[in-house]
Amino acid sequence: AIRRPWQAPVADLARAGPAPLRAGSARPVALAAAALALVAALGVALVFVFVANERERDLRGWQARMGIVADSRFAAVSDWIDRQFAQVRGLAENASLQLYLTRLTAAGGDASRIAGEPAERSYLRNLLAAAADRGGFSAPIRGPEIDANVERTGVAGITLIDSHGEVVAATPGMPPIERAFEDVIFANRGKRVVYDLHLGVGGEATMGFAAPVFAIQSDSGPSDQIGAVVAIKEVGAELFPLLVQPGATEASAEAALVRAAGEAIEYLSPLADGTPPLRRTLARSTPGLAAAFALASPGGFAIERDYSSTEVLVVARRFATVPWTLMYKIDADEALAETDSRLARLLGTFLLTIATVAAALVAAWRHGTSRRASETALRARQLARRYAEQHEFLRLVTDSQPSAMAIIGDDGRYLWANRRLWEDAGLSRDEVIGKALSTVLGPLPAKETMHSVRESVASGASCVKTHSEERGGKLRTYQSQYIPLPATAEMPPRVLIASEDVTPTVEERAKRERIMAQLVTTLVNVIDCRDPYSANHSAWVAKVARAIAEEMELDAEEADCVEVAGRLMNLGKILVPEALLTKATPLTDEEIGLIRGGIGTSADLLEGVEFTGPVVETLRQLHEHAGDENTTPDGGDVLVTTRIVAAANTCVALASPRAYRAGLSIDEALDSLLSKMGSGADRRVVLALANYLDNHGGRAELAGLGDEPAKA
């Protein structure tokens, strides 16, 4: 028979025979009891944490569901507001209306000076009446229909006013424009305005909308406004039904419109307790008021108390065109009744299980101490439990890893996942295991992940993929390793995926690159200060070299390499006497050699610096390469980065003035390079430079290259 490792201690104990009880056994008993109590307490704490997490997960589900409803009602109300403005704006842009009002304005408001004015005014009244019927801005005039001196009230209508607020034309029953509305219209010339929800002359929720009328052939600026189209109507029958969600099943669900009024909150829409619109106001300082939360945190989700002090779940959305906030709420008792009941049962079951297990362990342990055979069996069970604990320990280790880990089958389903993965997905372990990738990740990420899984299975080798995604409002970078697991008799091929958040590493690399760039700039500035005639020479070389590299469509690493090499090529001049750098007479061959040797010195000084590309090798070849050879002294090929920096350096040197000569023009410098193109100068490099100058704005960018240095 095969003897398994964990069976050895059990067999040894069986052969050892009975173990006598000692007088000092009371202390181990006390320690065991304390350990059991500690484990039980830890188990209870974990149960409460689990229940709290489950309740939080259900709350997130309600937040999503209520957010969808709130967005739906928000969109319906926003669309209704836009339609009202569209009705008024359409009238304001009517050519006939604009023409009449333009002529009336030109006549100084005297309608008698307009030819055919009665017919035009009649046409305008008919136009306004038709628009009022079409847009719901008409209503029966209220009041007794008797032949008596009793004023009848109009509650809706459309009117056209001139730039002084005088009525030009109006529909029958148009109520008078309140002075506050008229002030808002003329305080916002050139803009559309709304007269917010208020109790109108009929005692119902009423709104007003106005759009400016501009003179014919004007620029439509505030000074060009010659009047306004004003529309007023009771909105309760149109607006408030939009707050009801079709198909809603929650009895306590309610959407309401609220707005701030100083330190108070006004409920604009009718409430579920029967309160009519605009009839309830509460202080914003009311503790835990759901409406106060809605005004302070539009887009948020919370558990607060409504106007009747009932605890509710609430979400909110704020409108842009009107000072309203839509509040959608559901009684917490109704929303969480099933959750609280389920979690209460679950909590009771867990606690009872822990108590039962603890009691059973105590009873088994006490029983085992009374008999020698029971003691041996108990030790065997302890060993078995230790094995189970080791198994659980391995699970806890994987669950405590910061990386999300999972095993994916060749059918694209989760076979195993650690805690980090299913918590990041907002699911439980049971909701992940056995599910398809597309269910957890979404279609597009699942497709990309499955492609990498199949690639790893087909090659039999591990592969690493990097991707970025926005999480918590921040762009994060993840590196995933795909490790193929061999197939067994029971299992098909699988792949272990371990995803690590490498955002700090990426950010640190970017920080190092910024520091390197700052260091390069500092070194270049030090050199430029010593030689006023070659000040900014390195910067010009770096600029031209990078432009050539981009014209040649080199990769980003090579483009960065030529730019850094160009900026650092004169670092060795720090060892050249300053008198030689500023010498005003022609240089001797020995002096020229000393200055040119600065490039080689630059390579020596930078030898130990780790650059992304071959910066040091480029500078060394730049010093050693005479210009006509195609190979280096040791027989290797001249790097393309060396050729680019050499051409850029030659161009800048020819075009830059020196103490002993004036600089050439850009065209003369380019002609000099083109004349040597057939011999030593690299053809592709020179042609790329010419294309940059002629076709991509290079001449304009290098316009200041030939300027004389500033005098000290």
Side-chain angles (χ1 to χ4, degrees):
I2 299 175
R3 175 166 146 169
R4 296 179 175 84
W6 60 82
Q7 290 178 324
V10 179
D12 293 342
L13 287 173
R15 290 194 298 270
L21 294 174
R22 294 185 297 273
S25 61
R27 183 176 180 182
V29 170
L31 293 177
L36 180 61
L38 179 62
V39 171
L42 180 61
V44 171
L46 292 176
V47 166
F48 278 102
V49 170
F50 172 77
V51 169
N53 290 338
E54 285 294 297
R55 193 172 193 271
E56 183 65 25
R57 186 171 67 86
D58 285 358
L59 281 174
R60 288 197 297 269
W62 274 106
Q63 179 180 1
R65 290 165 56 185
M66 293 176 66
I68 293 173
V69 175
D71 289 338
S72 171
R73 297 305 88 210
F74 177 84
V77 173
S78 296
D79 183 62
W80 179 85
I81 295 172
D82 291 340
R83 289 199 306 271
Q84 310 314 306
F85 276 122
Q87 289 282 343
V88 180
R89 187 178 63 251
L91 276 174
E93 294 175 354
N94 181 276
S96 298
L97 185 147
Q98 289 179 312
L99 179 60
Y100 177 83
L101 207 55
T102 300
R103 295 170 61 194
L104 183 63
T105 301
D110 187 357
S112 63
R113 295 171 57 187
I114 301 175
E117 189 277 334
E120 291 190 30
R121 190 182 292 262
S122 177
Y123 168 77
L124 289 180
R125 283 194 293 268
N126 292 336
L127 177 65
L128 298 180
D133 290 339
R134 186 170 57 252
F137 288 96
S138 61
I141 299 176
R142 299 176 186 175
E145 295 187 5
I146 58 176
D147 189 11
N149 188 20
V150 178
E151 182 179 358
R152 301 178 67 197
T153 304
V155 296
I158 300 178
T159 186
L160 173 65
I161 63 176
D162 61 17
S163 59
H164 302 291
E166 299 295 331
V167 175
V168 177
T171 60
M174 172 67 187
I177 302 174
E178 297 185 20
R179 181 58 181 269
F181 190 11
E182 185 175 324
D183 291 343
V184 171
I185 293 173
F186 290 107
N188 294 273
R189 286 186 174 273
K191 301 178 183 178
R192 67 179 190 178
V193 296
V194 62
Y195 192 36
D196 202 4
L197 271 170
H198 61 284
L199 295 177
V201 295
E204 301 294 334
T206 302
M207 290 184 68
F209 304 88
V213 178
F214 299 103
I216 290 290
Q217 298 182 346
S218 68
D219 294 332
S220 299
S223 61
D224 298 318
Q225 181 176 346
I226 57 175
V229 174
V230 183
I232 298 174
K233 67 176 176 181
E234 295 176 344
V235 299
E238 297 180 15
L239 174 60
F240 299 144
L242 299 177
L243 299 175
V244 179
Q245 175 68 19
T249 59
E250 294 81 8
S252 61
E254 179 183 9
L257 298 176
V258 297
R259 73 183 173 199
E263 295 302 317
I265 298 175
E266 293 181 326
Y267 292 81
L268 307 179
S269 56
L271 303 179
D273 64 356
T275 303
L278 296 163
R279 296 302 201 288
R280 171 164 288 171
T281 301
L282 293 176
R284 294 186 70 165
S285 58
T286 304
L289 185 63
F293 169 81
L295 289 175
S297 304
F301 172 78
I303 300 179
E304 303 287 351
R305 293 191 175 275
D306 67 359
Y307 48 81
S308 60
S309 295
T310 302
E311 192 174 63
V312 295
L313 310 183
V314 58
V315 296
R317 300 291 185 268
R318 179 175 293 168
F319 294 90
T321 54
V322 290
W324 304 345
T325 297
L326 185 142
M327 176 184 67
Y328 183 66
K329 66 180 184 67
I330 297 176
D331 287 359
D333 288 343
E334 178 183 6
L336 300 177
E338 181 180 350
T339 297
D340 291 342
S341 175
R342 174 172 58 85
L343 293 181
R345 291 194 303 270
L346 192 62
L347 179 62
T349 302
F350 281 165
L351 294 178
L352 180 61
T353 301
I354 291 174
T356 302
V357 171
L361 290 176
V362 171
W365 182 79
R366 288 179 61 85
H367 181 69
T369 59
S370 65
R371 308 171 88 185
R372 189 92 28 101
S374 298
E375 182 178 354
T376 302
L378 176 60
R379 292 182 181 178
R381 286 195 297 272
Q382 289 174 338
L383 292 175
R385 187 170 70 246
R386 187 178 304 164
Y387 169 76
E389 288 173 351
Q390 291 175 349
H391 174 76
E392 179 65 14
F393 172 74
L394 293 177
R395 187 185 68 81
L396 291 174
V397 168
T398 58
D399 282 350
S400 64
Q401 294 300 309
S403 301
M405 304 170 65
I407 296 178
I408 308 299
D410 59 354
D411 60 351
R413 295 186 177 274
Y414 286 90
L415 303 179
W416 170 84
N418 70 343
R419 177 183 295 273
R420 179 60 181 269
L421 186 141
W422 49 264
E423 283 186 346
D424 285 349
L427 303 171
S428 67
R429 189 189 302 273
D430 293 339
E431 290 174 323
V432 172
I433 304 304
K435 295 297 190 297
L437 282 168
S438 58
T439 304
V440 178
L441 302 179
L444 183 58
K447 182 178 179 181
E448 297 174 353
T449 301
M450 198 60 202
H451 175 76
S452 300
V453 167
R454 294 193 176 113
E455 178 183 333
S456 180
V457 170
S459 65
S462 299
C463 62
V464 177
K465 305 287 185 180
T466 302
H467 72 282
S468 297
E469 64 180 68
E470 187 172 340
R471 182 170 294 182
K474 179 180 180 181
L475 185 66
R476 307 198 70 83
T477 302
Y478 296 89
Q479 187 178 75
S480 300
Q481 185 174 13
Y482 294 78
I483 306 172
L485 304 177
T488 64
E490 295 83 10
M491 297 294 293
R494 299 143 294 154
V495 172
L496 172 65
I497 304 176
S499 297
E500 180 182 3
D501 187 348
V502 296
T503 304
T505 302
V506 173
E507 292 176 345
E508 181 62 26
R509 182 184 304 165
K511 179 181 178 181
R512 289 201 305 271
E513 291 176 354
R514 290 195 303 272
I515 293 174
M516 176 64 75
Q518 293 167 359
L519 179 59
V520 168
T521 300
T522 301
L523 292 175
V524 170
N525 289 339
V526 170
I527 302 305
D528 288 347
C529 288
R530 303 184 71 245
D531 184 0
Y533 275 90
S534 61
N536 298 322
H537 177 89
S538 301
W540 284 113
V541 172
K543 180 180 182 67
V544 175
R546 186 173 189 94
I548 295 174
E550 292 175 350
E551 288 291 332
M552 296 175 67
E553 298 183 351
L554 301 186
D555 59 34
E557 180 176 313
E558 291 175 308
D560 291 341
C561 173
V562 298
E563 182 176 4
V564 174
R567 292 176 67 84
L568 293 176
M569 62 180 290
N570 288 327
L571 179 60
K573 284 186 177 181
I574 197 170
L575 303 179
V576 177
E578 186 173 351
L580 183 57
L581 295 175
T582 58
K583 184 177 180 181
T585 60
L587 303 175
T588 66
D589 292 341
E590 181 181 356
E591 291 171 336
I592 292 175
L594 182 60
I595 293 177
R596 288 180 176 173
I599 297 179
T601 305
S602 300
D604 294 336
L605 292 174
L606 298 171
E607 185 67 43
V609 180
E610 295 183 6
F611 293 97
T612 303
V615 174
V616 175
E617 183 62 21
T618 297
L619 292 175
R620 196 170 301 286
Q621 288 187 4
L622 190 64
H623 170 62
E624 297 171 350
H625 180 50
D628 293 332
E629 297 86 352
N630 292 319
T631 60
T632 59
D634 59 1
D637 292 334
V638 177
L639 297 174
V640 67
T641 54
T642 302
R643 299 179 184 274
I644 291 173
V645 176
N649 183 41
T650 301
C651 178
V652 172
L654 291 174
S656 300
R658 291 293 181 263
Y660 54 87
R661 64 163 175 84
L664 301 180
S665 67
I666 292 295
D667 289 333
E668 290 171 336
L670 179 60
D671 289 342
S672 177
L673 285 172
L674 291 173
S675 66
K676 299 176 183 178
M677 187 171 61
S679 54
D682 187 290
R683 184 181 185 86
R684 286 183 59 211
V685 173
V686 178
L687 291 179
L689 174 58
N691 192 49
Y692 162 66
L693 294 173
D694 293 337
N695 300 318
H696 293 115
R699 297 180 188 279
E701 293 180 1
L702 304 181
L705 180 56
D707 293 346
E708 290 288 340
K711 300 299 182 180

